[in-house]
Amino acid sequence: IRYPRHNPALGREAGALLRHLEYRGYDSTGAAVLAEDGTITLRKSVGAPSRVVEALGIGALQGVKAIGQVRWATYGSVTDANAQPHEVRCHVHMVGAHNGNISNTDALKVFLRDRKHQVVSDNDGEMLVHVVEQFFLEEGGLDPRKDAARKKAAALKAIRRADALVVGSYAACVAFPGIPGVFAMKAGSSLYAGKGSDGAGEFVVVSSDLTSVLSKTRALVPLAEGEGLYFTHADYEVFGLREERSSRPPLRRSRLNVADIGLTPPYRFYMEQEIAHA
């Protein structure tokens, strides 16, 4: 989620969005909040959102943009190190998280270590973030002569190259302290985006879970498979992951609300509810 300026309630918003994901299953929870000065604060731990958000003080974090994740183990055991998001700074300081499954994780780990990356987990999400980091470096993203717009262009190239290298199905978000917005990718896994406003101003929010977005806004950004989204608090740009194209499609108002698609009594699990309604 991205807000226009320093928001004392950003951690509370991030915590609420993480709690919306608890019904899908979990083994760990985490959030990274980025401040206006580029500082990244990362808090993550094994456990449910309802416990971890409070235990780690995520609700008290302040900043302009946040990336969070509720993990269900695929690659890597249930440890704090394998929890997401992942903050990296081997060559470029950035942070990101993914939802899905990247099947060439072992090969990517070798690729990264050959390029002097310090891989600290067995989680496939960390590999994706490091791969974007590597290609951002190769695209000249660290060139001090480049302004934010040119760094954004370098990041888009890096993301497209990363998507071509990784094998699997995923949705992801990454952010760089020197670039105002957040990048999201829809590559074989669900991803929803919405735009709205609240007491802290305009915002754009993305999630792999539609109920999370609808808890904040019903004005949705249409996203198709193989597309990405770059967004600030007030604007957004849809780009192709496999070709150089971009557009700003108009928002679409959802006819659904959280009550229409959320988990309702007497069901304890979302899959149980889906089977009953099939």
Side-chain angles (χ1 to χ4, degrees):
I1 189 167
R2 174 66 159 90
Y3 277 98
R5 61 187 67 85
H6 179 81
N7 180 2
L10 181 60
R12 186 179 68 208
E13 295 287 349
L17 290 168
L18 289 170
R19 289 187 183 97
H20 272 287
L21 297 171
E22 186 163 335
Y23 77 93
R24 297 173 63 175
Y26 58 84
D27 63 61
S28 56
T29 305
V33 170
L34 290 83
E36 289 176 297
D37 64 1
T39 302
I40 298 175
T41 302
L42 174 63
R43 306 269 177 89
K44 60 181 182 176
S45 178
V46 169
S50 55
R51 184 189 68 80
V52 172
V53 167
E54 182 176 356
L56 298 186
I58 290 173
L61 298 178
Q62 304 179 19
V64 294
K65 49 189 173 181
I67 294 176
Q69 208 257 20
V70 175
R71 177 176 180 256
W72 184 257
T74 51
Y75 282 87
S77 57
V78 181
T79 66
D80 290 353
N82 285 326
Q84 298 194 62
H86 295 285
E87 181 181 6
V88 302
R89 56 193 320 161
C90 301
H91 305 296
V92 178
H93 192 198
M94 60 176 292
V95 67
H98 94 311
N99 176 59
N101 192 317
I102 295 174
S103 57
N104 62 337
T105 289
D106 292 340
L108 291 176
K109 187 178 289 189
V110 174
F111 169 87
L112 292 166
R113 286 178 171 164
D114 286 346
R115 288 157 181 80
K116 311 303 181 186
H117 288 263
Q118 184 180 5
V119 178
V120 300
S121 80
D122 296 315
N123 179 248
D124 47 346
E126 185 190 0
M127 310 311 151
L128 175 63
V129 179
H130 277 296
V131 170
V132 175
E133 177 194 15
Q134 175 64 33
F135 290 144
F136 184 73
L137 174 70
E138 293 181 15
E139 294 295 338
L142 289 183
D143 188 338
R145 296 168 296 179
K146 288 188 175 181
D147 58 14
R150 294 171 72 188
K151 288 181 179 179
K152 172 195 162 190
L156 287 173
K157 291 180 180 179
I159 287 167
R160 290 186 177 110
R161 289 180 65 184
D163 181 68
L165 182 62
V166 304
V167 177
S169 299
Y170 69 93
C173 280
V174 297
F176 302 78
I179 301 175
V182 178
F183 300 87
M185 294 145 268
K186 180 178 172 64
S189 191
S190 61
L191 188 69
Y192 305 93
K195 186 177 186 303
S197 62
D198 58 20
E202 291 183 274
F203 64 82
V204 174
V205 59
V206 304
S207 177
S208 61
D209 176 71
L210 181 57
T211 65
S212 302
V213 175
L214 293 178
S215 72
K216 292 292 296 176
T217 178
R218 292 169 69 179
L220 303 182
V221 180
L223 274 178
E225 167 60 25
E227 291 186 330
L229 182 73
Y230 173 76
F231 60 94
T232 61
H233 69 283
D235 207 0
Y236 58 88
E237 171 189 344
V238 175
F239 61 90
L241 285 177
R242 286 132 204 168
E243 64 278 328
E244 292 189 17
R245 61 175 174 84
S246 64
S247 63
R248 192 185 188 280
L251 296 171
R252 297 177 182 172
R253 184 165 180 80
S254 174
R255 296 180 182 180
L256 299 172
N257 56 44
V258 175
D260 295 325
I261 58 177
L263 188 65
T264 58
Y267 306 108
R268 297 171 298 158
F269 306 104
Y270 193 69
M271 184 175 291
E272 180 184 17
Q273 178 173 288
E274 285 188 325
I275 292 171
H277 292 170

